[in-house]
Amino acid sequence: MDSRLLATLNAQAVGTRDPVLWAKTVCRAASHFARLGKSEEALTSIGVVRAQFGTELHHEVASWLMLAEGVLHYFQLQPRESYDRIRRAYGLALALKTESALPSCAAWMAHFEFNECLYEKMALHLEEALTLARQDDHQALGRAALIMADAYHLAGDYPLARPWYEKARLSAAAEGDDATLSAMLYNMAAYRASNARFADSFGIGAPKEAHRAAMETASSLHYDHAIGTLGMVFLLTMLRGLVLTVERKYAEALDIFLGIDLEKIPKRMRATVLCDMAWCNLNLEAPDRAWSLAALAADKLADVADDDDIAYVASRISQVAAGCGRTGDAEKYRERAEVALAEHRLFQTALIARLNKIRAA
């Protein structure tokens, strides 16, 4: 599937004699390539702009260029480098009042802060992006709307998330931004599947959520195949395994999890994959292997930062322990899961209250 956004950006770059506008469009193309996982194309676009301007970067070009580099680093799983470049892009745009770049820089700052659980900073940058962006600034508005939707979904309120998902979809559709549409489809499926799995680990059946998660995951996978995205492939793999687990297709799910190289995914995700594998093994009547994996997951709990993830991992370990006849371990990890769950519920309430205060233009 050809990208309408890339075609538009290419036409703008070819059709202008304004070097600043040309650089902005090429940098936006670089960011788009990065979000699709096409690092070589992104690097080429960035290199062309740097070669054109040398050391005499116009301040507006500098912000767009550093933003593109930050987005590329992010999708290359280099979070420190990503945050450094995006922060520099934002700081420069703010200091020099670069109105064209500031809303997008603010939206990407919020994106990074959401992933790092820096929710107060995220809220401030979201409000900045939503109030400063022009109505036709779909890059900034789409990114900000998607983060708002994800944050409400994380807070457990899909009805509040849904209109923001729709705003993200409309912004992406307005300029043919298939990368944002891909992210929206994936995020909706991932949050729904995670919620269904979370409920299952606490013994709460959620068949409707599991079915919706399966449908949304199928849509996400089909769309990504159609547009040829190569970005964050391991996340799609994990999502497939997650949905199969929720559907109780344990043998198929285990095959997916066995294909994941734990050393190549973020540390905070490793305990989750291990306890998913343990749960699959338990249900496939391999209790010794199940407890071995659960014990490994327990060892990696220290790397898990979010209370909902801690609650889920501890709850699954408790279930596996109970299934293996380890009553003491089952009680120990059930207590830890309940404490983390209570903390997560308090966090969700506070997050919704903060999100509800964000102003939008």
Side-chain angles (χ1 to χ4, degrees):
M1 181 189 297
D2 293 332
S3 170
R4 180 159 58 88
L5 175 57
L6 278 177
T8 300
L9 292 173
N10 287 336
Q12 289 176 351
V14 170
T16 184
R17 294 185 178 181
D18 181 341
V20 174
L21 178 58
W22 170 83
K24 172 187 172 181
T25 57
V26 175
C27 287
R28 282 207 61 193
S31 293
H32 191 71
F33 280 130
R35 289 184 293 141
L36 292 175
K38 298 180 179 181
S39 297
E40 290 303 318
E41 290 89 337
L43 284 168
T44 298
S45 298
I46 289 169
V48 166
V49 174
R50 284 207 172 275
Q52 180 67 29
F53 284 84
T55 59
E56 301 298 325
L57 275 176
H58 184 278
H59 70 88
E60 187 172 357
V61 175
S63 285
W64 283 107
L65 186 60
M66 285 188 285
L67 178 60
E69 290 172 340
V71 173
L72 176 59
H73 284 309
Y74 177 78
F75 284 92
Q76 290 178 325
L77 302 181
Q78 298 172 329
R80 289 184 181 179
E81 293 85 348
S82 173
Y83 181 64
D84 177 69
R85 300 310 286 172
I86 292 173
R87 182 172 57 84
R88 288 172 182 269
Y90 169 79
L92 187 61
L94 185 65
L96 298 180
K97 297 181 173 56
T98 307
E99 295 180 1
S100 71
L102 185 56
S104 287
C105 291
W108 275 100
M109 286 287 287
H111 174 102
F112 190 93
E113 289 152 356
F114 174 73
N115 288 335
E116 294 298 312
C117 307
L118 302 171
Y119 298 110
E120 180 58 33
K121 290 183 178 180
M122 173 205 75
L124 294 173
H125 285 125
L126 279 176
E127 184 166 299
E128 193 172 27
L130 291 168
T131 55
L132 294 180
R134 301 185 312 272
Q135 289 187 346
D136 62 348
D137 189 351
H138 298 297
Q139 175 178 239
L141 292 173
R143 178 61 43 182
L146 182 57
I147 299 162
M148 285 287 289
D150 290 344
Y152 273 123
H153 214 159
L154 174 64
D157 199 324
Y158 180 71
L160 288 177
R162 185 172 181 175
W164 286 102
Y165 278 129
E166 180 63 11
K167 289 179 181 180
R169 185 190 69 81
L170 290 173
S171 285
E175 59 180 7
D177 185 350
D178 42 23
T180 293
L181 285 171
S182 170
M184 186 199 75
L185 290 171
Y186 169 83
N187 290 1
M188 287 180 66
Y191 278 112
R192 197 181 298 280
S194 293
N195 290 341
R197 180 183 62 174
F198 189 88
D200 182 66
S201 76
F202 282 88
I204 305 169
K208 289 185 178 179
E209 283 293 281
H211 177 69
R212 289 173 180 170
M215 296 293 290
E216 289 173 353
T217 297
S219 296
S220 177
L221 292 171
H222 289 321
Y223 187 78
D224 278 5
H225 177 73
I227 67 174
T229 183
L230 302 172
M232 301 292 195
V233 175
F234 79 92
L235 289 178
L236 288 170
T237 301
M238 291 177 63
L239 178 57
R240 288 174 60 207
L242 191 160
V243 170
L244 289 168
T245 303
V246 168
E247 292 182 311
R248 293 174 164 75
K249 298 177 180 178
Y250 299 114
E252 295 174 58
L254 187 57
D255 283 341
I256 296 293
F257 293 134
L258 287 171
I260 296 174
D261 185 345
L262 290 179
E263 296 301 316
K264 292 184 178 180
I265 66 175
K267 285 186 177 181
R268 60 186 173 83
M269 296 181 177
R270 294 173 188 174
T272 302
V273 176
L274 285 166
C275 70
D276 283 341
M277 293 172 69
W279 182 241
C280 289
N281 273 279
L282 182 67
N283 283 279
L284 293 171
E285 300 182 357
D288 290 342
R289 178 61 177 160
W291 179 248
S292 175
L293 289 163
L296 287 174
D299 288 340
K300 295 186 180 299
L301 254 176
D303 294 326
V304 182
D306 297 337
D307 287 321
D308 57 336
D309 289 334
I310 293 171
Y312 171 70
V313 171
S315 184
R316 273 295 193 230
I317 294 173
S318 175
Q319 287 180 314
V320 173
C324 295
R326 304 176 69 94
T327 305
D329 288 312
E331 292 177 355
K332 170 186 172 182
Y333 285 101
R334 177 56 56 192
E335 290 176 3
R336 185 165 185 183
E338 294 292 347
V339 170
L341 176 61
E343 292 293 326
H344 179 58
R345 296 298 186 224
L346 291 174
F347 156 76
Q348 288 182 309
T349 300
L351 180 56
I352 288 176
R354 183 63 183 89
L355 293 170
N356 287 343
K357 293 179 181 179
I358 293 176
R359 293 181 300 114

